[in-house]
Amino acid sequence: MAEQHTPRSLIVTLYGAYGRETAGSLAVAELIRLLAAVGVDAPSVRSSVSRLKRRGLLVPERTASGAAGYALSADARQLLDDGDRRIYPHARPRARDGWVLAVFSVPESERNKRHVLRSRLAGLGFGTAAPGVWIAPARLYDETRHTLERLQLAPYVDLFRGEHLGFAPTAEAVARWWDLTAIAKQHDEFLGLHEPVLRAWEARAQTSSEVPPEEAYRDYLLVLDSWRRLPYADPGLPAPLLPPDWPGERSAEVFRRLHARLRDAGAAFVRGEAGVS
């Protein structure tokens, strides 16, 4: 299956992976160089940067050398900081950790915000417990609060923490609240695309310890761009509530191993310390 990596998504992924550990601003010329390594042409980079600027995610800021560049806005930094807690390895929550409930009511005169609320909660990984009642693992509370405040949707929502007391077994209820079949399919698609990449790198390691920076950067940026969407479709449900053949742990392990092998090696290419391999 072919996978779509949009220029805008790749730029956000690039800033998330490498853009926060420098002074924060990347020159336009550098963005063009770095995106060219994953097949994005210069006009697409410039167009995507303009769109991200209009959305308030990038702000003009000179680089340390004085070149024209762009840095993450405060909202974008918060968005990426929240995302880090999902994207990078963490312990799967326990059933006893409980849930966060989002209960919302939007006046008919503002029904467009009802659609925005539903789409944002779904995008955060919430399942639907009942009309107007959405549920997610309790650890997503902080990110949910940040998101609703940033989008000025907090006045329409009440957030609660709690536990499921019945009447159906919680595992049965979870299967109603989330489309587990669709989530499992996304994990399978990720594995189909990136497990062979991991096997190839591990096979290379048997004969050489060299990790070419540009190749590492390219493969890492692509796997991260794919992976960072998955923890939002799959909010990290407790293992006892999932089917026994759940592919999520396997896909998380593939990402973890590629991250450990490629991320730091790719940083040399981002810093301009390595040419084309």
Side-chain angles (χ1 to χ4, degrees):
M1 182 194 72
E3 184 174 33
Q4 297 298 316
H5 296 278
T6 69
R8 269 181 287 176
S9 178
L10 286 165
I11 290 170
V12 172
T13 299
L14 171 61
Y15 272 95
Y18 298 110
R20 287 173 289 172
E21 61 186 35
T22 63
S25 180
L26 287 170
V28 175
E30 276 299 281
L31 287 170
I32 289 171
R33 177 181 73 88
L34 293 169
L35 272 294
V38 289
V40 180
D41 60 30
S44 296
V45 173
R46 292 192 178 94
S47 173
S48 297
V49 166
S50 294
R51 290 191 182 98
L52 290 168
K53 179 184 173 184
R54 286 198 297 271
R55 289 179 57 192
L57 296 176
L58 292 180
V59 293
E61 186 176 296
R62 294 276 175 183
T63 67
S65 65
Y70 288 89
L72 293 165
S73 67
D75 281 348
R77 284 184 175 273
Q78 180 69 71
L79 191 66
L80 291 173
D81 288 345
D82 284 338
D84 284 352
R85 289 188 283 273
R86 295 197 191 217
I87 291 167
Y88 298 105
H90 60 271
R92 186 168 284 275
R94 302 161 297 179
R96 66 174 180 270
D97 291 341
W99 307 92
V100 57
L101 292 175
V103 180
F104 67 83
S105 178
V106 180
E108 184 62 24
S109 60
E110 299 179 89
R111 60 182 178 273
N112 62 306
K113 292 184 179 178
R114 191 178 307 142
H115 170 73
V116 174
L117 256 172
R118 288 172 180 154
S119 64
R120 299 311 296 179
L121 290 172
L124 287 166
F126 275 69
T128 309
V133 181
W134 292 63
I135 188 167
R139 68 183 179 85
L140 301 187
Y141 163 72
D142 285 336
E143 184 179 2
T144 301
R145 179 172 58 83
H146 295 156
T147 299
L148 295 176
E149 288 174 344
R150 183 173 65 251
L151 297 175
Q152 299 182 346
L153 295 171
Y156 306 97
V157 184
D158 286 302
L159 297 176
F160 302 87
R161 288 185 189 268
E163 58 183 311
H164 181 241
L165 299 176
F167 292 94
T170 304
E172 290 183 14
V174 161
R176 293 197 312 269
W177 299 337
W178 282 273
D179 186 345
L180 297 181
T181 300
I183 296 171
K185 182 180 178 183
Q186 291 184 57
H187 281 294
D188 288 335
E189 289 172 348
F190 175 87
L191 287 164
L193 289 163
H194 297 289
E195 199 167 33
V197 177
L198 174 62
R199 287 198 298 264
W201 278 102
E202 291 182 336
R204 289 172 66 165
Q206 300 300 313
T207 57
S208 173
S209 61
E210 181 186 4
V211 183
E214 183 176 356
E215 291 182 52
Y217 161 80
R218 182 191 64 233
D219 285 352
Y220 182 64
L221 195 71
L222 293 176
V223 73
L224 179 59
D225 194 55
S226 297
W227 172 255
R228 72 182 181 88
R229 302 179 183 97
L230 257 176
Y232 289 89
D234 177 355
L237 299 167
L241 305 181
L242 294 167
D245 57 348
W246 187 250
E249 293 295 335
R250 188 170 141 218
S251 64
E253 178 66 9
V254 165
F255 173 72
R256 185 193 68 77
R257 286 157 66 181
L258 282 169
H259 171 77
R261 186 171 295 274
L262 303 179
R263 192 268 173 202
D264 289 347
F269 180 72
V270 176
R271 293 191 298 266
E273 296 173 3
V276 177
S277 50

